[in-house]
Amino acid sequence: MQSITRILAVAIFLILPYITMAHGYWIEIEGNNRPNETVTVKMFYGDYPVGERLSGKPLDKMKDIKMYVTSTNGLKQEIPMTQTTDYWEGTFRPQAEGIYEITGINDTREVQDWSKHDMGITRPIQYLKTTYQVGHMDNGKAEELFLDVAIKKLPGNTFETTVLKNGKALTGQKVIVTGYGTNEQELVSDKKGKIIYKLDKPGLYILSIDWVDKKPGEYKGKPYETVRHRLDYSIYKQ
């Protein structure tokens, strides 16, 4: 079987609320979807929708993003990442068929003053997530983030996504769906936490969700007014 490279990306956009006006991080995964074969995880910084990839010093800030892979038996392991000139890179080797969930988190970022973006003084916590299919088995959900989604493929080009906060459906939540060369879709989850949308063209799509905890506090000796949780989840449509 000829080696197949899938590119799955999760973008974290650092300046909100206008996603398309900011640089972000994303992950590219290279592998042949077979057990016992090395999978390469690359993390880039730039403007993915227009093909911009930054290099050098701008990549330094990515050191605080911890990457993990959760295997088919539920075992979660960190993926050690090494900085190169153009990206951060790490590898893992899936041992069995099934769905492997790749997650990233930065919950150690300093308190930020985002008053000029109408966000006040906030502590940002950011999540990345995507899946990697090995073989054809579906082992079910293995890893759950505080802010998460459950995605179901419907007939045709339609997808159903349930937005979750701490494992429970999140209603009335805005979700932004973007893809390269496509119009941005802005959706709001219904009373069951669901959104339904179409992805017409093959390629990468990113689901971006912000949830703000308005309880003030202090982190690393700095007071904050809110905690901003952000998830960027990638779907690669064939």
Side-chain angles (χ1 to χ4, degrees):
M1 177 179 177
Q2 184 178 3
S3 177
I4 299 173
T5 300
R6 289 200 312 163
I7 297 178
L8 298 173
V10 182
I12 301 180
F13 297 94
L14 303 178
I15 302 174
L16 296 171
Y18 300 106
I19 298 172
T20 58
M21 297 177 63
H23 288 94
Y25 304 126
W26 71 89
I27 299 169
E28 297 185 3
I29 302 177
E30 299 177 357
N32 59 18
N33 307 100
R34 296 199 300 257
N36 301 308
E37 299 283 351
T38 298
V39 178
T40 301
V41 179
K42 294 181 180 181
M43 186 164 56
F44 292 87
Y45 177 61
D47 191 348
Y48 176 79
V50 299
E52 179 190 47
R53 298 182 178 186
L54 299 181
S55 60
K57 191 172 180 58
L59 305 186
D60 292 350
K61 65 182 68 179
M62 301 163 75
K63 65 181 177 61
D64 294 325
I65 300 177
K66 301 297 183 183
M67 300 298 301
Y68 302 91
V69 56
T70 303
S71 63
T72 56
N73 61 6
L75 178 63
K76 181 178 179 179
Q77 295 180 307
E78 185 173 356
I79 303 175
M81 303 292 287
T82 302
Q83 185 173 2
T84 71
T85 302
D86 300 316
Y87 50 81
W88 286 73
E89 182 180 65
T91 62
F92 71 94
R93 181 171 292 186
Q95 299 299 310
E97 292 192 356
I99 298 174
Y100 289 74
E101 295 191 324
I102 300 167
T103 57
I105 184 169
N106 181 0
D107 58 359
T108 62
R109 191 176 181 186
E110 300 284 349
V111 172
Q112 302 291 311
D113 184 354
W114 284 348
S115 299
K116 64 181 179 180
H117 304 297
D118 297 322
M119 297 184 66
I121 309 298
T122 190
R123 177 191 172 193
I125 298 178
Q126 304 192 0
Y127 313 92
L128 304 86
K129 191 171 185 179
T130 192
T131 60
Y132 182 77
Q133 179 74 55
V134 177
H136 302 287
M137 292 183 62
D138 184 353
N139 54 289
K141 191 171 180 61
E143 170 70 0
E144 188 172 277
L145 300 174
F146 174 79
L147 188 61
D148 212 338
V149 293
I151 299 174
K152 180 181 179 181
K153 177 71 171 64
L154 301 179
N157 298 323
T158 304
F159 290 77
E160 177 187 87
T161 293
T162 303
V163 184
L164 303 167
K165 179 176 72 70
N166 206 19
K168 297 182 180 180
L170 187 58
T171 64
Q173 175 62 48
K174 183 171 71 174
V175 181
I176 303 295
V177 182
T178 56
Y180 181 79
T182 65
N183 293 327
E184 179 182 281
Q185 301 181 60
E186 181 174 319
L187 307 165
V188 178
S189 61
D190 63 18
K191 61 182 180 180
K192 294 183 178 180
K194 298 182 183 297
I195 58 170
I196 296 178
Y197 50 95
K198 287 188 175 182
L199 305 179
D200 293 322
K201 299 179 181 179
L204 167 72
Y205 292 83
I206 302 167
L207 277 65
S208 300
I209 303 169
D210 286 312
W211 183 80
V212 178
D213 184 348
K214 297 182 179 180
K215 182 179 179 180
E218 185 176 294
Y219 181 66
K220 295 184 178 180
K222 296 182 180 180
Y224 57 79
E225 300 166 343
T226 62
V227 178
R228 196 282 325 257
H229 296 266
R230 181 175 180 85
L231 169 69
D232 290 276
Y233 190 113
S234 70
I235 303 175
Y236 189 82
K237 180 183 181 298
Q238 295 182 346

